[in-house]
Amino acid sequence: DQQVKQNSPSLSVQEGRISILNCDYTNSMFDYFLWYKKYPAEGPTFLISISSIKDKNEDGRFTVFLNKSAKHLSLHIVPSQPGDSAVYFCAATYGSSNTGKLIFGQGTTLQVKP
Amino acid sequence: DAGVTQSPTHLIKTRGQHVTLRCSPISGHKSVSWYQQVLGQGPQFIFQYYEKEERGRGNFPDRFSARQFPNYSSELNVNALLLGDSALYLCASSPGSYNEQFFGPGTRLTVL
């Protein structure tokens, strides 16, 4: 049972344009969501997070949007840069369980072309 | 500041053997979590330890065990290795049990 899904395995975008990465979840108990970026041969790097009490969070070029009614979140990268080329994972957790368990999607490979 | 460190970087074992993976968290972080990542999938949660106590366990067999030491470093042990245990094992640390987790580079385990 895949509770967090990233239905697009890959995305290709031109440098300077917007990249939009999508993520869907099924468990309504999730109350905290995170995005990680992963380069080959490295561990995932934390990018940005959002609590379920918010619908938007911005950090520089990165913005995460949360639509709880649709159980959907998205990561916007504007403007996209070649260095953003990596695998992006969304993850979810529920604080009430206090286990710190992150549930990850399968990942989306982003390619930003110069 | 030093990030999360893991050792060894790579490891090759044969079926039936035992393996120990090590992790040192970011200074000041009291929580360590372990994840398994197989090719083409996202990381899968194995364990979380906070203040040396197990706080969470994922859907992994009893062949997997872990512990956290007084200095908050951690070991992941896997007994009776199977071919399917071949994966990247990631360690993550966080200040508390419910915070953003910061990952190390991982240990690549190959079981032959």
Side-chain angles (χ1 to χ4, degrees):
Chain A
D1 178 26
Q2 190 74 26
Q3 297 185 70
V4 178
K5 296 181 182 180
Q6 295 176 256
N7 292 316
S8 298
S10 62
L11 176 68
S12 183
V13 171
Q14 206 67 32
E15 181 180 6
R17 305 296 290 269
I18 185 171
S19 295
I20 300 175
L21 297 105
N22 294 304
C23 180
D24 297 299
Y25 62 96
T26 57
N27 191 337
S28 57
M29 296 294 291
F30 289 145
D31 59 6
Y32 200 72
F33 304 88
L34 308 91
W35 283 94
Y36 285 84
K37 175 173 72 174
K38 188 179 186 301
Y39 294 119
E42 295 183 13
T45 301
F46 170 73
L47 277 176
I48 191 168
S49 61
I50 187 167
S51 165
S52 60
I53 63 173
K54 296 184 177 181
D55 55 18
K56 177 182 174 182
N57 188 28
E58 285 183 81
D59 185 1
R61 297 186 298 115
F62 301 93
T63 303
V64 56
F65 294 92
L66 175 62
N67 183 334
K68 284 191 295 181
S69 61
K71 292 190 178 67
H72 177 84
L73 64 156
S74 60
L75 175 68
H76 292 209
I77 306 173
V78 183
S80 301
Q81 301 173 354
D84 295 329
S85 298
V87 179
Y88 288 77
F89 292 99
C90 66
T93 188
Y94 26 87
S96 59
S97 73
N98 206 29
T99 65
K101 173 182 179 179
L102 294 180
I103 299 170
F104 284 84
Q106 310 96 305
T108 297
T109 300
L110 172 65
Q111 182 186 27
V112 180
K113 298 179 179 178
Chain B
D1 288 340
V4 177
T5 59
Q6 293 185 244
S7 63
T9 305
H10 295 88
L11 202 53
I12 299 175
K13 292 286 190 178
T14 56
R15 282 177 297 175
Q17 284 189 312
H18 162 269
V19 68
T20 297
L21 310 180
R22 295 177 174 84
C23 171
S24 292
I26 293 171
S27 177
H29 286 193
K30 298 181 179 179
S31 172
V32 169
S33 299
W34 288 95
Y35 292 82
Q36 180 196 65
Q37 186 182 16
V38 298
L39 198 62
Q41 295 183 20
Q44 298 291 313
F45 175 78
I46 310 176
F47 285 110
Q48 190 205 32
Y49 277 78
Y50 177 67
E51 287 281 17
K52 301 177 286 295
E53 291 187 0
E54 182 182 304
R55 282 295 185 92
R57 184 185 183 109
N59 189 24
F60 281 81
D62 292 342
R63 299 185 296 108
F64 288 77
S65 63
R67 55 180 176 168
Q68 187 177 33
F69 298 100
N71 66 353
Y72 302 110
S73 67
S74 178
E75 284 182 355
L76 175 69
N77 296 282
V78 187
N79 293 324
L81 285 167
L82 303 174
L83 296 179
D85 295 331
S86 296
L88 179 68
Y89 288 85
L90 295 162
C91 173
S93 76
S94 58
S97 63
Y98 179 45
N99 295 96
E100 288 84 6
Q101 297 181 19
F102 298 88
F103 285 82
T107 293
R108 173 70 61 186
L109 172 65
T110 301
V111 182
L112 301 176

